Amino acid sequence: MTATSPRLKHEVKDLGLAPLGRQRIEWAGREMPVLRQIRDRFAQEKPFAGIRLVACCHVTTETANLAIALKAGGADAVLIASNPLSTQDDVAACLVTDYEIPVFAIKGEDNETYNRHVQIALDHRPNIIIDDGCDVVATLVQERQEQLADIIGTTEETTTGIVRLRAMFRDGVLSFPAVNVNDADTKHFFDNRYGTGQSTLDGIIRATNVLLAGKTIVVVGYGWCGKGTALRARGLGANVIVTEIDPIKAIEAIMDGFRVLPMAEAAPLGDLFITVTGNKHVIRGEHFDVMKDGAIVCNSGHFDIEIDLKALGAKAKEVKTVRPFTEEYRLQNGKSVVVLGEGRLINLAAAEGHPSAVMDMSFANQALGCEYLVKNQGKLEPGIHSIPTEVDQEIARLKLQAMGIKIDTLTPEQIEYINSWTSGT
Ligand SMILES: NC(=O)c1ccc[n+]([C@@H]2O[C@H](COP(=O)([O-])OP(=O)(O)OC[C@H]3O[C@@H](n4cnc5c(N)ncnc54)[C@H](O)[C@@H]3O)[C@@H](O)[C@H]2O)c1
């Protein structure tokens, strides 16, 4: 575990982009006061001295601030992309030149390159893996059993990654602790909901410049991301229809004031479709058949499997790029369907991902989750662990403090009351 890693190079688009990346990383940093405080403490305490770390995240300005904090804490960190389309090439360049963090990520890399970068990251023989979607951990477990002894643990960023980790645990192949960053309240309440809500619409607008007011927008899935997306779409004047498979979420959507329909009925009504389910083929061939001419479909769930693009491709006479990240499929039935960002997360493909202010809390959880793993090395059982409530609360406290907002504290009388059962009517 203490052996030094082989000297690592980098694979980025153009190191000449570094000055722009630096400007943008610093701009994002202004909105990340919680992570900044953690970084300053890490710089003093060096909790990651001697630790080899791999981060597989969207290579954005916010991730750069996380990587800088981990490095300040002494980590020997390597960064790769968690999606072929989400890398910001200027950020990748800056991390290599200004911070000497090896980055292997190029926007638009093909799947083969993406997978090669996962292998390069594993060549670093990590002790800690920060994963976003579980690709590095799944590859490690399937292909690098001999490296399992090096692993202290992993932290997982997103819902889809947690679903995969739970399946790994069920199958008895998760032999180390995994910290569930996604389920921290200071993560999914804000990142999945307000972050995805705003950035998904940002991506759609940047890709298409369509007016959303008066459009019928179908939001597929009413989980955390779906709620945020539906809320923001309504805020821009769209008529929002929600589709769900969970009866409770469906009631929630109805009581939040949205129309709920099955996809077969929503498909002919929508002008724009946004999938955020983490599930496969939620928009399929039979749905494309009945869509309006010119309907736009996009995805903001983790993987590019939510829209069945193979089925759409089979119905197309011609596929034409009409704008960056915007492809028109001319169908044999005479209509067209427009696909954004190749069905990959549109907020990262066509926009910049979540605003820094929400990533501040998500990445505070990542940074403290990694520290928790190191501090508790050898003490945590294999399996999935929540971020401790005190850590979650502390992140919220620091965030409020940075926002200049004060809240009340319980009086001694209130503490006594909520801890007793004797006083009733
Ligand atoms: N774009 C981003 O930046 C970003 C950010 C956070 C999470 N994510 C990803 O977004 C996806 C959703 O995350 P979440 O936190 O909202 O998850 P969630 O579990 O809270 O919500 C998913 C919802 O989709 C519903 N669903 C499943 N199959 C469906 C189907 N066939 N039709 C309609 N609804 C269906 C589920 O019932 C659930 O309510 C995941 O893949 C997650 O990793 C993306």
Side-chain angles (χ1 to χ4, degrees):
M1 197 166 292
T2 48
T4 48
S5 65
R7 187 160 167 65
L8 283 154
K9 297 201 164 59
H10 59 264
E11 223 172 278
V12 301
K13 185 167 181 204
D14 177 4
L15 289 178
L17 297 169
L20 176 62
R22 182 158 195 138
Q23 245 178 18
R24 295 180 58 249
I25 292 167
E26 287 173 1
W27 173 255
R30 292 188 196 194
E31 290 267 275
M32 304 183 83
V34 179
L35 188 63
R36 189 161 59 239
Q37 286 188 49
I38 294 169
R39 183 196 66 200
D40 292 347
R41 180 172 64 75
F42 280 1
Q44 298 289 318
E45 298 175 6
K46 302 280 177 205
F48 305 118
I51 299 288
R52 290 189 303 274
L53 188 148
V54 160
C56 175
C57 299
H58 303 296
V59 181
T60 61
T61 52
E62 293 78 20
T63 298
N65 279 285
L66 172 63
I68 292 164
L70 295 166
K71 178 142 193 206
D76 175 6
V78 167
L79 177 61
I80 60 168
S82 58
N83 185 290
L85 275 189
S86 63
T87 298
Q88 297 171 6
D89 291 315
D90 55 342
V91 169
C94 174
L95 285 174
V96 171
T97 58
D98 297 8
Y99 295 95
E100 293 179 358
I101 296 173
V103 181
F104 296 83
I106 300 168
K107 188 173 177 95
E109 64 193 24
D110 57 21
N111 283 354
E112 194 188 313
T113 308
Y114 176 86
N115 290 323
R116 189 167 51 75
H117 288 164
V118 171
Q119 294 294 343
I120 289 173
L122 286 172
D123 289 344
H124 187 49
R125 297 196 70 95
N127 309 121
I128 294 209
I129 297 168
I130 296 179
D131 226 349
D132 185 344
C134 196
D135 276 350
V136 177
V137 167
T139 308
L140 170 83
V141 168
Q142 287 173 99
E143 299 174 23
R144 304 267 189 130
Q145 288 279 319
E146 72 285 2
Q147 284 182 223
L148 289 175
D150 290 346
I151 300 290
I152 297 172
T154 181
T155 59
E156 174 52 56
E157 173 76 4
T158 198
T159 315
T160 284
I162 295 299
V163 169
R164 292 179 83 187
L165 283 170
R166 289 208 175 102
M168 287 172 75
F169 188 63
R170 262 199 322 272
D171 287 351
V173 296
L174 186 64
S175 60
F176 46 83
V179 171
N180 182 346
V181 166
N182 183 67
D183 284 6
D185 288 349
T186 47
K187 200 278 184 181
H188 68 276
F189 279 9
F190 307 102
D191 169 318
N192 300 32
R193 182 166 41 175
Y194 304 114
T196 310
Q198 177 168 320
S199 61
T200 298
L201 294 168
D202 184 16
I204 293 164
I205 293 167
R206 291 197 206 192
T208 62
N209 198 28
V210 293
L211 180 74
L212 300 182
K215 292 271 190 310
T216 297
I217 298 186
V218 180
V219 175
V220 188
Y222 202 67
W224 290 103
C225 296
K227 282 190 237 288
T229 306
L231 188 70
R232 292 298 177 247
R234 177 163 63 191
L236 286 166
N239 299 304
V240 179
I241 295 173
V242 167
T243 73
E244 251 298 342
I245 45 109
D246 179 329
I248 297 171
K249 300 279 176 59
I251 296 174
E252 204 182 353
I254 291 165
M255 294 208 180
D256 284 344
F258 298 109
R259 196 168 166 201
V260 174
L261 291 174
M263 181 51 85
E265 288 176 37
L269 305 178
D271 300 303
L272 169 63
F273 296 79
I274 306 169
T275 59
V276 262
T277 67
N279 209 345
K280 192 173 176 181
H281 294 174
V282 295
I283 301 183
R284 299 180 291 277
E286 69 260 32
H287 304 132
F288 297 124
D289 286 341
V290 296
M291 281 182 187
K292 290 182 189 173
D293 184 23
I296 299 171
V297 295
C298 67
N299 168 52
S300 213
H302 189 76
F303 285 120
D304 59 344
I305 38 89
E306 304 213 7
I307 303 166
D308 187 354
L309 287 180
K310 215 166 156 196
L312 183 62
K315 292 175 187 295
K317 297 188 288 202
E318 192 195 355
V319 183
K320 213 167 77 184
T321 300
V322 288
R323 286 168 63 96
F325 309 111
T326 307
E327 287 179 321
E328 182 176 34
Y329 285 63
R330 290 228 143 264
L331 306 186
Q332 282 139 19
N333 68 7
K335 295 191 281 189
S336 74
V337 170
V338 175
V339 177
L340 306 185
E342 299 168 21
R344 299 190 191 275
L345 319 117
I346 190 59
N347 61 334
L348 283 141
E352 294 170 66
H354 295 357
S356 319
V358 285
M359 294 316 293
D360 188 26
M361 289 187 281
S362 304
F363 285 164
N365 277 291
Q366 281 290 3
L368 298 180
C370 290
E371 187 184 34
Y372 178 70
L373 282 171
V374 172
K375 280 192 171 158
N376 291 285
Q377 186 175 352
K379 293 188 211 144
L380 299 171
E381 292 292 316
I384 299 166
H385 299 259
S386 301
I387 289 276
T389 311
E390 317 82 73
V391 173
D392 215 354
Q393 291 274 329
E394 177 65 5
I395 291 171
R397 205 182 55 73
L398 291 173
K399 188 73 180 173
L400 275 179
Q401 201 179 61
M403 294 162 100
I405 292 168
K406 297 194 179 86
I407 58 170
D408 286 323
T409 47
L410 291 166
T411 64
E413 184 192 27
Q414 288 165 345
I415 293 173
E416 194 189 331
Y417 179 75
I418 57 176
N419 284 302
S420 74
W421 57 271
T422 47
S423 47
T425 315

